[in-house]
Amino acid sequence: MTQSTLHVAVIMDGNGRWAEARSLPRAAGHREGVAAVRRTIEAALSHRIETLTLYAFSADNWERPPREVQWLMRLFREYLRSEVNRAVATGVRLSVIGRRDRLAPAVRSAIDAAERRTADGSRLHLRIAVDYSARDAILRAAQCLAPGAPVTRDQFGRLLSIADHGATRSPDVDLLIRTSGEQRLSDFLLWESAYAELLFLPVLWPDFAASDLAAALQQFHGRKRRFGRLPDVATPAAAGAPAAGAISS
């Protein structure tokens, strides 16, 4: 896969720990996390990444203290309103995936306005996951299936995008990055990440820099992506590969 069709997804983890390590309120970490988002978008544009999906707020994050949730939603609304002009100028198309019925009207209005204003962006498709759960999205897509009717993976993928408010089918994730050193997917893009390369970085999200993305991409391009097939460069006789019919991952 060429770099121009790359889909990078990021679990932006570590805002709270970044703030706590500096004896700051958690809100300060979230504010610094927004700055990291801006840096990452600029770096994604320079690397010609086609799709960038950022995990901003999971369906489980509603369980956080109400004051923190309110702050996060206000920060998200402010981000949408402040970044629209920059997105239009740089050719970024912005979409929000996840449920919207539990969001405040002001947040939904900001989402709608940002998506309309940036609809013609063609350099980068920036997707922000808010009130998102991959398992819930899969369930919603399954509920749209006609009973007994056959369905292909592509067809189900389109239903999944509709369930997540996507106008087009989400491309499969090529590289999934999680910051803060945690090593789990946390219900993020489970269907789309079936063959994603996973990279877990120790850096906290507010410290994530353009150089971190560049290093991640370098590591990604150095990996061998087989998609269940045998490597093209080896033959069973020459490389001591398993006999025909054996499974390779």
Side-chain angles (χ1 to χ4, degrees):
M1 178 172 291
T2 62
Q3 192 167 329
S4 62
T5 60
L6 201 61
H7 181 187
V8 176
V10 184
I11 301 175
M12 305 181 294
D13 195 14
N15 291 345
R17 275 165 283 176
W18 183 93
E20 290 167 0
R22 292 160 176 78
S23 299
L24 297 171
R26 290 176 62 85
H30 295 312
R31 180 72 70 180
E32 287 298 318
V34 171
V37 168
R38 294 191 182 102
R39 291 194 300 269
T40 302
I41 293 170
E42 292 174 359
L45 287 166
S46 68
H47 288 287
R48 298 183 181 180
I49 292 171
E50 185 179 68
T51 304
L52 176 66
T53 304
L54 304 178
Y55 203 8
F57 189 87
S58 77
D60 293 325
N61 286 153
W62 291 111
E63 300 299 323
R64 293 188 176 189
R67 187 172 181 178
E68 182 174 357
V69 171
Q70 291 172 3
W71 168 257
L72 286 168
M73 289 299 164
R74 183 167 67 248
L75 188 62
F76 178 51
R77 186 176 71 248
E78 291 174 359
Y79 172 82
L80 291 175
R81 291 174 174 172
S82 66
E83 295 300 309
V84 165
N85 289 339
R86 188 198 307 263
V88 172
T90 54
V92 175
R93 173 190 169 200
L94 190 148
S95 301
V96 175
I97 62 172
R99 290 181 59 172
R100 300 191 186 185
D101 57 298
R102 296 189 290 193
L103 302 179
V107 176
R108 295 199 300 268
S109 177
I111 291 172
D112 292 341
E115 289 181 334
R116 287 195 305 269
R117 286 282 309 280
T118 64
D120 294 331
S122 59
R123 291 183 62 198
L124 172 68
H125 188 188
L126 171 64
R127 307 191 319 151
I128 302 178
V130 176
D131 196 1
Y132 177 84
S133 161
R135 289 181 294 185
D136 287 351
I138 291 170
L139 285 174
R140 291 195 299 271
Q143 290 167 357
C144 296
L145 296 173
V151 62
T152 66
R153 290 182 181 178
D154 284 342
Q155 290 169 333
F156 189 79
R158 285 192 289 272
L159 290 174
L160 189 60
S161 293
I162 293 171
D164 277 334
H165 296 276
T168 58
R169 181 189 170 186
S170 167
D172 288 346
V173 175
D174 298 297
L175 171 63
L176 191 150
I177 300 169
R178 181 171 186 145
T179 59
S180 86
E182 302 290 347
Q183 299 185 22
R184 55 182 177 272
L185 296 180
S186 296
D187 200 13
F188 183 48
L189 299 179
L190 301 180
W191 176 273
E192 297 90 335
S193 298
Y195 275 100
E197 296 294 322
L198 308 181
L199 187 59
F200 302 104
L201 302 179
V203 61
L204 299 175
W205 177 247
D207 292 327
F208 191 80
S211 59
D212 293 308
L213 180 60
L217 290 172
Q218 183 177 18
Q219 184 170 337
F220 167 79
H221 288 296
R223 294 185 180 183
K224 301 292 185 182
R225 304 189 73 198
R226 300 187 180 95
F227 301 98
R229 300 183 294 268
L230 291 175
D232 294 335
V233 296
T235 63
I247 296 175
S248 176
S249 59

